[in-house]
Amino acid sequence: MQIKDLTFEELQSFLKEFQLPGYRAQQIFDWIYQKKSFDWQEMTNLPQSIRRELTEKGLVIAALKPVTSVTGSDGTTKYLFELSDGERIESVFLPEQHRNTVCFSTQVGCGMGCAFCATGKNGLIRNLTTAEIVDQIVRIATITGTRITNVVAMGQGEPFANYEALLKAIRILNHSQGLALGARRITISTCGIVPGILKLAEEPFQVNLAISLHAAEDQLRERLMPINKVYPLKALMAASKSYLAKTGRRITYEYALIDGVNDRPQDQVNLVQLLSGMLCHVNLIPLNPVTGTPFQRSRSDRISGFAAALNEAGIETTIRKERGSTLAAACGQLQSKRLERP
Ligand code: SAH
Ligand code: SF4
């Protein structure tokens, strides 16, 4: 059993089965998540007999294997990790003056097939386990020697297609004995899986929710994001409203601007119409080009024009700061192939 698959409470009950007191869970979590140890031998305040017993019971501290990394001039670093079955995933470290963010993956590949995204190109390979999700953050904290202050599920994969493993990972990241990351510092981005949105609204902690919109009209959205056939805009907006009513938390809508595709004057009108009167935030993303797709980034005047029109309509809008695109580490560019130097 992977220890990073266990929430604090699960570890406590596991230990209870062997008549070990609850404070041992605290000690173990402290070693794993605060001291970031990967080795039972280091945990010197745990008696040797306990360490031996736990190892014999099959409790292991596996770690992702860093294969390569590549760093850009602003410090953005993309890591390629190998999983125990040889599959590979990417995670991105984004240092800023007052925060250090990790963009983590939730799946190997992705089954959603969005037309503009590199991750979905080869379909879904498999879901990540909770341990594999948590370890991306622990590993990057150790490698960089920094405290990770924010995490975003915006790497490879669709988070809500791996709901249970993700939520468990969030419980571990959020726990005061775990990485103690405040729920407000955790963001989940979804392509619009309605049951996931509704389920998240019922969870006790208040993480941030971002929804990838990319089109404000069904026909176009369907073309860009096949999931729209399952959950069209009407259902998506209804779920958004019920999420807002339940949690009181505004949703961020992500909109990657694609030249001549979703940045036309009519698209702007549609977007304003769709979001008017909603408590929300719009994040415009200058499209990151992906080889093998016909899509190009919108002209910068189009992007600023979109932002101005939305803001004028009272819809709070920002343009996403570009990071990592030269490393192919930006949104939608993550793939599992070997890293190459830019
Ligand atoms: N699967 C989730 C989260 C991972 S993708 C989702 O789709 O929301 C993270 C963000 O990058 C999403 O908003 C996604 O739509 C966006 N994205 C994908 N490909 C992109 C590209 N080529 N350029 C810019 N953003 C892209
Ligand atoms: Fe999957 Fe998100 Fe890429 Fe769509 S944009 S293919 S949901 S990772």
Side-chain angles (χ1 to χ4, degrees):
M1 196 185 314
Q2 297 285 351
I3 196 155
K4 288 189 183 107
D5 271 330
L6 302 179
T7 61
F8 186 74
E9 292 71 26
E10 285 172 339
L11 178 61
Q12 273 182 323
S13 25
F14 180 85
L15 295 174
K16 217 179 255 165
E17 273 177 45
F18 305 108
Q19 280 77 45
L20 291 171
Y23 71 88
R24 295 291 183 203
Q26 241 154 20
Q27 288 177 321
I28 295 172
F29 255 53
D30 182 60
W31 277 108
I32 304 266
Y33 295 110
Q34 258 98 60
K35 301 196 179 75
K36 311 209 169 42
S37 173
F38 292 96
D39 185 358
W40 287 111
Q41 290 319 310
E42 286 179 1
M43 304 186 192
T44 41
N45 57 354
L46 282 177
Q48 185 73 41
S49 57
I50 293 183
R51 283 182 264 159
R52 196 175 324 116
E53 192 179 347
L54 293 177
T55 323
E56 276 163 15
K57 300 290 179 250
L59 202 56
V60 293
I61 322 170
L64 299 179
K65 200 166 112 210
V67 181
T68 38
S69 70
V70 55
T71 302
S73 53
D74 62 359
T76 299
T77 305
K78 177 164 82 165
Y79 292 94
L80 179 70
F81 292 114
E82 190 164 286
L83 312 176
S84 55
D85 60 358
E87 293 295 349
R88 290 170 168 203
I89 50 161
E90 292 179 339
S91 328
V92 184
F93 174 64
L94 301 131
E96 283 173 276
Q97 204 177 359
H98 298 294
R99 59 179 181 183
N100 293 315
T101 304
V102 169
C103 171
F104 65 92
S105 295
T106 52
Q107 299 183 305
V108 184
C110 181
M112 299 297 152
C114 300
F116 45 80
C117 174
T119 305
K121 281 263 177 69
N122 299 319
L124 173 67
I125 297 171
R126 71 167 172 88
N127 277 338
L128 295 186
T129 63
T130 294
E132 288 163 343
I133 295 173
V134 168
D135 209 30
Q136 294 171 59
I137 294 114
V138 175
R139 263 284 161 188
I140 291 179
T142 318
I143 297 169
T144 59
T146 58
R147 188 178 137 67
I148 303 305
T149 59
N150 295 69
V151 295
V152 294
M154 290 190 190
Q156 285 158 279
E158 167 48 44
F160 286 160
N162 189 13
Y163 190 93
E164 295 309 327
L166 170 73
L167 262 280
K168 217 165 154 189
I170 289 175
R171 277 182 215 115
I172 297 170
L173 297 172
N174 181 234
H175 199 279
S176 56
Q177 305 289 330
L179 286 179
L181 263 173
R184 284 180 172 73
R185 292 171 174 276
I186 301 172
T187 301
I188 301 175
S189 174
T190 178
C191 63
I193 312 268
V194 164
I197 297 169
L198 299 176
K199 217 163 159 192
L200 186 70
E202 304 293 333
E203 299 291 346
F205 39 70
Q206 306 234 306
V207 296
N208 303 308
L209 177 64
I211 296 179
S212 300
L213 200 56
H214 307 314
E217 171 262 302
D218 277 320
Q219 228 181 344
L220 176 60
R221 193 164 188 271
E222 224 168 77
R223 189 152 73 80
L224 296 174
M225 305 177 72
I227 192 67
N228 197 73
K229 290 184 200 132
V230 187
Y231 306 112
L233 283 166
K234 197 161 170 238
L236 184 58
M237 297 322 282
S240 298
K241 282 180 187 142
S242 106
Y243 178 90
L244 183 64
K246 194 107 208 169
T247 64
R249 299 195 47 79
R250 67 175 190 171
I251 293 172
T252 294
Y253 292 96
E254 296 159 289
Y255 196 103
L257 283 155
I258 313 173
D259 187 36
V261 173
N262 65 357
D263 69 346
R264 301 157 303 176
Q266 188 57 45
D267 298 311
Q268 194 172 295
V269 172
N270 292 343
L271 186 57
V272 168
Q273 216 165 47
L274 187 74
L275 299 179
S276 268
M278 266 193 81
L279 180 65
C280 66
H281 178 97
V282 173
N283 202 205
L284 296 176
I285 314 173
L287 183 86
N288 298 304
V290 169
T291 23
T293 73
F295 304 121
Q296 297 300 323
R297 171 178 299 188
S298 299
R299 294 199 321 255
S300 58
D301 58 321
R302 276 284 170 87
I303 300 176
S304 46
F306 245 71
L310 286 158
N311 278 315
E312 256 163 49
I315 303 163
E316 197 192 288
T317 303
T318 48
I319 300 171
R320 183 171 294 172
K321 203 165 57 178
E322 206 176 331
R323 300 198 60 170
S325 54
T326 54
L327 312 175
C331 290
Q333 292 184 314
L334 300 186
Q335 271 182 314
S336 301
K337 63 173 192 216
R338 256 197 104 75
L339 295 180
E340 280 142 6
R341 292 249 153 219

